[in-house]
Amino acid sequence: MKELRLMKGNEAFAEAAIRAGADGYFGYPITPQSEVMEYLMAEKPHERTGMVVLQAESEVAAINMVYGGASCGKRVLTSSSSPGISLKQEGISYIAGAELPCVILNVVRGGPGLGTIQPSQSDYFQSTKGGGHGDYKLLVLAPSSVQEMADFAGLGFELAFKYRNPVLILSDGAIGQMMEKVELDEQKPRWTEEEIIKNTPWATTGKTKNRERNIITSLDLDSGKQELHNISLQAKYREMEKNETRYEAISCEDAEYLIVAYGTSARLSQKAVDLLRAEGYKVGLLRPITLFPFPTAIIAKLADQVKGILTVEMSAGQMIEDVRLAVGCRVKVEHFGRMGGIIPSPTEVVDATHKKIIGG
Amino acid sequence: MTEEIIIAGFGGQGVLSMGKILAYSGVMENKEVSWMPSYGPEMRGGTANVIVIISDERISSPIVNYFDTAIILNQQSMDKFEKTVKPGGLLIYDPNGITRHPERKDINIYTIEAADEASKVGLSKVFNMVVLGGYLKLKPIVQPEYIHKGLEKSLPKRHHGLIPENEKAIAKGKEIIKEKYLLN
């Protein structure tokens, strides 16, 4: 029987990271994600599993500690909120270039700049279209509940090591701060040194006589080799698209209208779908769980079935671009959202669906 | 059954912990729950509020704009949340410090003089539990045994000695809650 607790999203993520057998957490405090490190510091995982928890001198230091830990084949993670994640972008690009596994949590707050400490979803472009420099992709998971905050810590490590790629968990202030019931997995043991050597033959675990040395770098001044490296990265991203696309389709079977929303917006939209169905309108909700890879195929399929699509995002409309790419010009795709840390109410979503899709 | 509640007052009145104990009691009774706080600068010395939802079904949105019950502990919160109670819903407030009393005629209104009563009997620290008791008298959405378990889970072990005092405060709340305006 799994253990049942009432926890904040931030705390659930922290506890789940310990239980996933993480070796190290490196972070720097920022609202609304400070509970991640607060929880880890209070929980003293070095006494439970030997996991290191370190408050770095800055976000830049934290992400480079992640680079170092990951280079040695360790399961390492960091977390921050939007302005802090911006500071980490150089390191994230290097980690993606050096093909290292790690988990990064962004508990998004409103921007631009220091913005606000209230929830937002305005980091979609940063998360899915680059963020740092160069042609790279993060595998992006978007939790919409405290349970998924816990589940995606473990899943994040699994995928990060499967693809040797950073995994970004794109959450927001609402999911980080709210408490829900959560079932926690049992403690997984951390990898032993022998297991690390066996599972990460690419890592800098100390050269032995029977293999070449491992070099961890994102630099190759030979353009020919650098292009080959880029081609292999792109092939890896296509593999992720093939194997790792995740979504949840709610009430889509008979839907005549569709809402597409992730994270907190998906929760609001689910309530809006219930309210609209009670009014007699057949509305469905498609919730992308991975933002890269994006669930393009299912949205393209639903576009043949529905009369209109509304994307609901706490931003000026970012994911809508990917929805429009999936749909082409077959049906109308409109955006509804609030910005600057305002969470729309489910009835606002209902009104927008009427105005922009059903009546429009 | 789904009960959507807003609890609102000053930071420091125990608004968030009242919500947490209620939510944890719901977890113990195997219900679905969510607890969505206001956070940030408005908590520090200003107003604090939390939305608690307890349901037999999966909770769609943890954020709603109309409530079955509003528990209101200061004037700012009265101004903000009186209008958010669903028609036929319930508003409970502590009249201490309230200068403009609720005026709606389409909801049930109760008062609980929790601040006064709690200080009279030396329970000031558990004032919020007096309020919770009043609410549970009107809407026993969680059974008393689960409230006990909820207290055990919400309070750190070193404070478990305070559980009887909390339960006394809950009982006091049940005694002193009063009708103010009732629908027919």
Side-chain angles (χ1 to χ4, degrees), chain A residues 5-6 8 31-32 117-119 173-174 177-181 248 264 267-268 270-271 274 343 345-347, chain B residues 4 20 23-24 27 30-37 39-41 58-66 153:
Chain A
R5 281 161 75 171
L6 180 72
K8 284 190 171 198
T31 306
I117 60 175
Q118 300 301 324
Q177 291 296 324
M178 76 181 200
M179 287 202 282
E180 288 185 305
K181 208 159 75 167
E248 185 184 13
T264 293
R267 299 289 295 271
L268 309 167
Q270 204 185 321
K271 179 101 180 175
D274 293 344
I343 304 174
S345 67
T347 47
Chain B
E4 296 170 332
K20 186 176 172 185
Y24 232 134
V27 172
N30 205 23
K31 292 179 186 292
E32 298 300 319
V33 305
S34 71
W35 177 96
M36 180 71 220
Y39 66 88
R58 177 177 165 181
I59 293 165
S60 52
S61 176
I63 294 146
V64 291
N65 44 344
Y66 296 101
K153 280 280 189 178

Side-chain angles (χ1 to χ4, degrees), chain B residues 13 19 46 62 69 80 141 144 151 162 173 177:
Chain B
Q13 277 179 316
T69 299
K80 198 167 166 190
I141 52 164
L151 281 165
L162 300 172
I177 188 148

